[in-house]
């Protein structure tokens, strides 16, 4: 837990329990809980992916380091995001991270990026430079996955903020990132929570690790994980129904909502899900942005990584809705929020707060909170862009 004291340690009343039961029933009617057979499929897919990764690392190590080193070669596979937090819905993608040793290259061995001559090399004039192509190195992980019969679709996104391979594996969408640690051999059960894991990593690797570390740390910060999950499921549903779900577009994403829900759980550690849902909208409706949301104190571990600090970093002063990740290096998870998206979110939070107040008086039912926003009735003018 963080050092901040709870606002209330009161437990649920009979009315809170009744409203919580109604809330869970409604959540199930929206299909927020994954069927058991789909859960089993995800486990099988993760197991098969793990096998492919071990085969790949042994082949790569033998090629790069020699046969003597391949026997101990090993990679670890972590999940994060909604699946790791236990709030994934049917059909949602799996966020995964592969951690390997220092001699494995993200470009060459993970993506298989090689400089290849354009097939149009005989053209006049000839191409100025060769192209960098994912999968050109057939011994890469990308090449192995591309040839695997279980993989239906695959694309490499090496230039993304978090470089990853995106694929559909036996019907399950998977985003797979890769980090190469400063280790000759990655130990089984490597502790990703040690700050020293960041030693000599590039920015892409740091961001790739952050997702796993934040998800793991949230479990230590939240008093009751099952209650946290129930409320987070409802907040994700609300944000999607109200059109404010998209970190990329400047609204709320999964990690932002998880931090906001976790903070409310800290403030009301013994409350029922229905109470926490109401308190969520009350707290963030009256919050004085851009005051930052912190689950734990910001700590600089002294490894030279940039942490969120408006006193030292002028660019951090521009953040409109700072929701700070709780692990080193602490960063603002809502850097895409703009003046207009913040205005829309504040309106939606206020409206939801009013609806929850009516539900607490039994004047409304939970269905009212999750009514889908009618975009075209809200705006007289809109801009449509076709790409």
């Amino acid at each position: 837990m963080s050092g901040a004291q709870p606002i209330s340690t009161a437990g649920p009343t009979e009315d809170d329990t009744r409203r919580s039961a109604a809330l869970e029933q409604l959540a199930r009617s929206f299909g927020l809980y994954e069927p058991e057979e789909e859960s089993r499929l995800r486990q099988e897919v993760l197991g098969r992916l793990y096998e492919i990764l071990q085969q790949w690392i042994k082949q790569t190590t033998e090629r790069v380091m020699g046969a003597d080193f391949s026997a101990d070669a090993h990679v670890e596979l972590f999940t994060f995001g909604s699946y790791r937090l236990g709030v994934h819905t049917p059909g949602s993608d799996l966020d995964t991270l592969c951690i390997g040793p220092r001699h494995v290259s993200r470009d060459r061995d993970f993506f298989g990026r090689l400089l290849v001559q354009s097939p149009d090399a005989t053209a006049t004039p000839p191409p100025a430079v060769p192209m960098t192509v994912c999968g050109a190195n057939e011994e890469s992980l990308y090449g192995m996955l591309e040839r695997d019969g279980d993989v239906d679709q695959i694309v490499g996104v090496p230039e993304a903020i978090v470089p990853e391979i995106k694929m559909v594996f036996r019907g399950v969408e998977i985003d797979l990132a890769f980090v190469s640690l400063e280790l000759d051999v990655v130990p089984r059960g490597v502790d990703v929570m040690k700050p020293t894991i960041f030693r000599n990593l590039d920015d892409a690797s740091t961001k790739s690790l952050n997702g796993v570390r934040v998800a793991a740390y949230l479990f230590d910060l939240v008093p009751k994980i099952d209650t946290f999950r129930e409320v987070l499921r409802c907040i994700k549903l609300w944000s999607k129904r109200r059109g404010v779900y998209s970190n990329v577009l400047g609204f709320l994403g999964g990690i932002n909502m998880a931090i906001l829900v976790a903070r409310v759980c800290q403030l009301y550690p013994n409350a029922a899900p229905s109470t926490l849902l109401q308190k969520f909208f009350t707290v963030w409706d009256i919050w004085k942005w851009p005051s930052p949301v912190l689950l734990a104190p910001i700590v600089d571990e002294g490894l030279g990584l940039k942490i969120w600090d408006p006193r030292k970093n002028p660019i951090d002063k521009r953040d409109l809705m700072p929701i700070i990740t709780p692990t080193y290096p602490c960063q603002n998870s809502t850097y895409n929020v703009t003046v207009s998206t913040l205005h829309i979110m504040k309106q939606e939070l206020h409206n939801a707060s009013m609806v929850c107040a009516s539900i607490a008086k039994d004047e409304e039912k939970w269905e009212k909170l999750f009514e889908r926003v009618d975009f075209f009735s809200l705006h007289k003018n809109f801009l449509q862009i076709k790409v």
Side-chain angles (χ1 to χ4, degrees):
M1 290 289 292
S2 71
Q5 293 298 311
I7 292 176
S8 171
T9 57
T13 65
E14 285 187 14
D15 284 340
D16 295 336
T17 304
R18 172 176 56 82
R19 293 190 190 99
S20 294
L23 182 62
E24 182 183 354
Q25 186 176 0
L26 182 62
R28 291 190 180 278
S29 73
F30 275 105
L32 299 188
Y33 292 82
E34 185 177 65
E36 191 175 330
E37 58 270 20
E38 193 169 329
S39 296
R40 281 199 300 268
L41 175 61
R42 286 182 189 268
Q43 290 293 331
E44 292 171 9
V45 166
L46 282 171
R48 176 64 186 133
L49 178 59
Y50 182 80
E51 291 174 1
I52 293 173
L53 289 171
Q54 302 314 318
Q55 180 186 350
W56 164 67
I57 192 61
K58 289 187 182 298
Q59 291 177 0
T60 302
T61 300
E62 183 172 350
R63 187 177 71 252
V64 176
M65 304 292 289
D68 293 343
F69 290 87
S70 63
D72 296 327
H74 169 75
V75 294
E76 286 285 87
L77 179 64
F78 291 88
T79 61
F80 60 102
S82 62
Y83 182 78
R84 177 69 180 89
L85 293 174
V87 295
H88 58 290
T89 52
S92 61
D93 60 359
L94 264 172
D95 294 310
T96 58
L97 173 67
C98 171
I99 295 182
R102 74 172 91 221
H103 59 266
V104 182
S105 161
R106 183 191 290 118
D107 262 5
R108 180 194 66 219
D109 303 315
F110 182 73
F111 286 114
R113 297 178 85 198
L114 295 174
L115 286 176
V116 297
Q117 193 67 43
S118 167
D120 214 5
T122 57
T124 305
V129 292
M131 300 181 298
T132 305
V133 178
C134 278
N137 174 11
E138 293 186 357
E139 296 172 316
S140 66
L141 179 63
Y142 185 98
M144 289 179 65
L145 291 168
E146 196 173 31
R147 295 189 301 273
D148 194 284
D150 285 330
V151 178
D152 302 320
Q153 302 171 33
I154 185 168
V155 63
V157 195
E159 306 298 344
I161 293 175
V162 176
E164 59 190 12
I165 292 174
K166 303 174 83 71
M167 58 185 150
V168 178
F169 197 115
R170 291 178 58 187
V172 178
E173 292 185 30
I174 299 178
D175 293 344
L176 177 64
F178 175 74
V179 170
S180 176
L181 298 182
E182 282 289 289
L183 297 170
D184 292 325
V185 177
V186 175
R188 295 179 186 276
V190 60
D191 186 0
V192 296
M193 300 310 292
K194 288 184 177 179
T196 52
I197 202 168
F198 289 111
R199 202 159 273 148
N200 296 328
L201 294 189
D202 60 14
D203 190 54
S205 296
T206 298
K207 286 182 168 58
S208 299
L209 273 170
N210 261 349
V212 174
R213 285 167 54 85
V214 169
Y217 198 46
L218 278 174
F219 288 116
D220 294 332
L221 296 172
V222 173
K224 295 181 179 177
I225 192 64
D226 288 340
T227 304
F228 163 78
R229 284 172 172 155
E230 286 188 51
V231 178
L232 182 53
R233 285 179 190 276
C234 293
I235 295 301
K236 289 182 70 174
L237 174 64
W238 165 81
S239 65
K240 290 177 180 179
R241 302 279 293 180
R242 302 304 299 174
V244 290
Y245 183 90
S246 176
N247 203 347
V248 173
L249 297 180
F251 293 107
L252 294 172
I255 190 60
N256 321 136
M257 285 182 278
I259 293 172
L260 292 179
V261 171
R263 187 71 190 104
V264 174
C265 288
Q266 289 180 334
L267 296 174
Y268 302 91
N270 299 319
S274 59
T275 305
L276 287 170
L277 189 59
Q278 180 185 354
K279 295 299 184 184
F280 176 93
F281 294 114
T282 303
V283 169
W284 305 124
D285 174 33
I286 64 175
W287 191 260
K288 301 300 182 185
W289 305 107
S291 297
V293 178
L294 301 170
L295 289 178
I298 295 176
V299 177
D300 189 347
E301 298 288 352
L303 296 176
L305 298 178
K306 181 188 172 187
I307 62 173
W308 189 83
D309 188 346
R311 297 167 301 177
K312 296 181 180 177
N313 309 317
I315 195 169
D316 292 341
K317 293 180 181 178
R318 304 177 191 172
D319 291 337
L320 301 174
M321 190 184 189
I323 300 174
I324 310 303
T325 55
T327 58
Y328 177 80
C330 301
Q331 296 172 345
N332 176 26
S333 64
T334 48
Y335 48 85
N336 284 328
V337 170
T338 65
V339 171
S340 59
T341 59
L342 177 59
H343 175 72
I344 293 167
M345 285 188 283
K346 287 169 75 171
Q347 280 186 321
E348 288 296 336
L349 287 166
H350 179 70
N351 292 341
S353 178
M354 296 296 100
V355 170
C356 283
S358 297
I359 293 171
K361 299 174 186 175
D362 289 326
E363 296 172 355
E364 293 283 1
K365 295 189 179 298
W366 287 117
E367 284 82 355
K368 179 70 175 177
L369 181 66
F370 302 107
E371 285 182 353
R372 191 182 293 278
V373 66
D374 187 353
F375 176 86
F376 295 100
S377 67
L378 283 179
H379 307 283
K380 293 174 65 177
N381 304 297
F382 66 94
L383 179 66
Q384 177 174 315
I385 302 174
K386 291 187 178 181
V387 180

